[in-house]
Amino acid sequence: MAKLKNIVSYYRRINIIGEEIAPLADTNKYKIMFDFIKCYLRYGADEEDYRALELYKKSSFERKKFTTAKKNYIYLYRNHSSSCDKDTFDSKIIFNSEYSDLLKRKWISTKNHSLDQINAFIDELGEVIVKEDFGMQGIGIYKLKSSDSDKRNNLMLSIRNNNHYVIEELIIQHPDMAYFNDSCVNTCRVETITDKAGKAHIVNTVLITGGKGSSISNTHSGGVMVHIEPETGVLDSKGRNPEGKLFNVHPGTGVQLLGRKIPYWNEVKELAVQLAERRPTARYIGWDISITEGGPEVIEGNLRPGHCTQSCDMVGRWPLIKKYL
């Protein structure tokens, strides 16, 4: 019965893809459904890959060049990262501890400090950002004011129930970054691959912004990604969301994207390389880096960077990644 339910559920998902993509490809949904299954089996593409990377438009030669979900997870994540690497990048507490000398912001972990110390930290700063230790895609991240007694009491209750968090000082971003969306800290995603000699190479660079009113810079919250020209730091593409929709301006804030320059761009790249070369066993990482008026500040590293970032300029990164492995 469980297998039958899974088959029905999978058919429904494929049917949705067929109905959604068929008008864009000017064909019928059954051809799209069949083509998606072929992409899944041959290239390891999931539904997000098929939509965002517009694989329905691509030839077999082009499809091979993209880093897909299967290549990312099975080949890169499982085969080219150790259990220690996974612990470091999955846990915000471990990550902040390991890279603490490179963090400019104040932070505290609820795992290693008493409730009195945590409350004193919140009172000292007045407003903080709270992050679940193992949260993903921006889930479990929120701002907390010291005066918000309800939120604060809920946090303390959760800590008493053995849930763990990182609590951090708010990052005040550079005005040129706040331009895109001032409700969240917009970040640069810098993807690095480390070769066998331990030297890091940058393979992709994109700006990630959050949706209007969102406190997190995550495209799943209504924001967009924009490709950054790696040499100059200038935005050289339209904005895209994870479903592959294109935007000339930010869909939430209405600001122009194309042609804007990222401040401290050389320093951003230098920081990403420095971070990657500190842990060369983690071969492929997507670094989320914010920019303050004093320079770049790393937020986190992702062992499984979103492969939909390739949709910004529609250049497949798989040949470049394989070159350095």
Side-chain angles (χ1 to χ4, degrees), residues 95-96 102-107 121 125-131 141-144 166-175 177-178 181-188 214-217 264 271 288-300:
F95 179 86
N96 277 21
L102 296 176
L103 303 183
K104 300 171 186 174
R105 62 192 181 274
K106 296 179 181 179
W107 67 280
F121 182 80
L125 295 179
E127 187 174 13
V128 295
I129 192 93
V130 180
K131 302 177 181 179
I141 298 178
Y142 60 92
K143 290 180 180 178
L144 171 65
V166 164
I167 303 175
E168 298 180 343
E169 178 183 10
L170 295 181
I171 291 173
I172 307 302
Q173 63 186 331
H174 192 286
M177 297 299 287
N181 183 5
D182 61 7
S183 71
C184 67
V185 176
N186 305 291
T187 57
C188 298
S214 173
S215 61
I216 56 172
S217 62
Y264 288 107
L271 177 58
D288 289 337
I289 298 174
S290 65
I291 304 169
T292 70
E293 290 197 77
E297 167 84 330
V298 64
I299 304 295
E300 64 180 4

Side-chain angles (χ1 to χ4, degrees), residues 1-13:
M1 183 60 72
K3 286 185 177 181
L4 179 59
K5 286 183 178 179
N6 288 337
I7 291 172
V8 171
S9 174
Y10 191 61
Y11 176 80
R12 286 174 177 167
R13 285 161 53 195

Side-chain angles (χ1 to χ4, degrees), residues 46-146:
D46 64 8
E47 294 149 80
E48 188 173 282
D49 292 333
Y50 194 73
R51 289 188 184 96
L53 302 177
E54 297 180 348
L55 296 182
Y56 52 90
K57 294 181 179 179
K58 305 290 191 293
S59 66
S60 296
F61 177 75
E62 292 172 310
R63 289 171 172 179
K64 290 177 183 178
K65 292 184 177 181
F66 285 98
T67 304
T68 60
K70 186 175 181 180
K71 290 173 182 174
N72 196 344
Y73 179 70
I74 294 180
Y75 191 78
L76 293 169
Y77 180 73
R78 281 195 355 197
N79 296 343
H80 290 284
S81 53
S82 68
S83 58
C84 184
D85 295 329
K86 292 168 186 173
D87 289 342
T88 296
F89 292 99
D90 287 347
S91 166
K92 291 177 174 59
I93 293 175
I94 297 176
F95 179 86
N96 277 21
S97 298
E98 181 161 330
Y99 290 93
S100 60
D101 60 309
L102 296 176
L103 303 183
K104 300 171 186 174
R105 62 192 181 274
K106 296 179 181 179
W107 67 280
I108 194 171
S109 85
T110 63
K111 189 175 183 179
N112 303 316
H113 295 83
S114 68
L115 291 180
D116 286 343
Q117 289 173 312
I118 295 165
N119 277 307
F121 182 80
I122 295 172
D123 287 333
E124 176 195 347
L125 295 179
E127 187 174 13
V128 295
I129 192 93
V130 180
K131 302 177 181 179
E132 288 184 1
D133 188 22
F134 288 95
M136 295 178 64
Q137 294 186 341
I139 298 170
I141 298 178
Y142 60 92
K143 290 180 180 178
L144 171 65
K145 291 185 177 180
S146 60

Side-chain angles (χ1 to χ4, degrees), residues 85-275:
D85 295 329
K86 292 168 186 173
D87 289 342
T88 296
F89 292 99
D90 287 347
S91 166
K92 291 177 174 59
I93 293 175
I94 297 176
F95 179 86
N96 277 21
S97 298
E98 181 161 330
Y99 290 93
S100 60
D101 60 309
L102 296 176
L103 303 183
K104 300 171 186 174
R105 62 192 181 274
K106 296 179 181 179
W107 67 280
I108 194 171
S109 85
T110 63
K111 189 175 183 179
N112 303 316
H113 295 83
S114 68
L115 291 180
D116 286 343
Q117 289 173 312
I118 295 165
N119 277 307
F121 182 80
I122 295 172
D123 287 333
E124 176 195 347
L125 295 179
E127 187 174 13
V128 295
I129 192 93
V130 180
K131 302 177 181 179
E132 288 184 1
D133 188 22
F134 288 95
M136 295 178 64
Q137 294 186 341
I139 298 170
I141 298 178
Y142 60 92
K143 290 180 180 178
L144 171 65
K145 291 185 177 180
S146 60
S147 58
D148 191 334
S149 57
D150 288 340
K151 266 189 181 181
R152 191 162 173 168
N153 289 336
N154 288 336
L155 173 62
M156 296 305 148
L157 178 60
S158 183
I159 294 169
R160 289 190 188 98
N161 289 331
N162 293 319
N163 295 311
H164 297 301
Y165 302 85
V166 164
I167 303 175
E168 298 180 343
E169 178 183 10
L170 295 181
I171 291 173
I172 307 302
Q173 63 186 331
H174 192 286
D176 289 353
M177 297 299 287
Y179 160 87
F180 300 108
N181 183 5
D182 61 7
S183 71
C184 67
V185 176
N186 305 291
T187 57
C188 298
R189 169 68 60 85
V190 182
E191 297 173 14
T192 58
I193 187 79
T194 305
D195 62 28
K196 293 178 181 178
K199 181 175 174 56
H201 306 267
I202 294 173
V203 295
N204 199 12
T205 50
V206 300
L207 169 72
I208 298 180
T209 74
K212 184 177 182 180
S214 173
S215 61
I216 56 172
S217 62
N218 188 289
T219 54
H220 293 277
S221 68
V224 293
M225 304 173 292
V226 190
H227 185 256
I228 304 171
E229 203 287 315
E231 293 301 318
T232 63
V234 173
L235 305 187
D236 64 353
S237 78
K238 293 182 179 181
R240 278 186 182 264
N241 68 9
E243 288 73 45
K245 292 182 180 178
L246 282 168
F247 300 91
N248 290 314
V249 298
H250 190 292
T253 62
V255 299
Q256 181 66 39
L257 300 169
L258 190 65
R260 296 290 298 191
K261 183 174 174 59
I262 302 298
Y264 288 107
W265 182 240
N266 287 334
E267 289 84 351
V268 169
K269 293 189 292 182
E270 289 168 5
L271 177 58
V273 169
Q274 182 182 7
L275 291 162

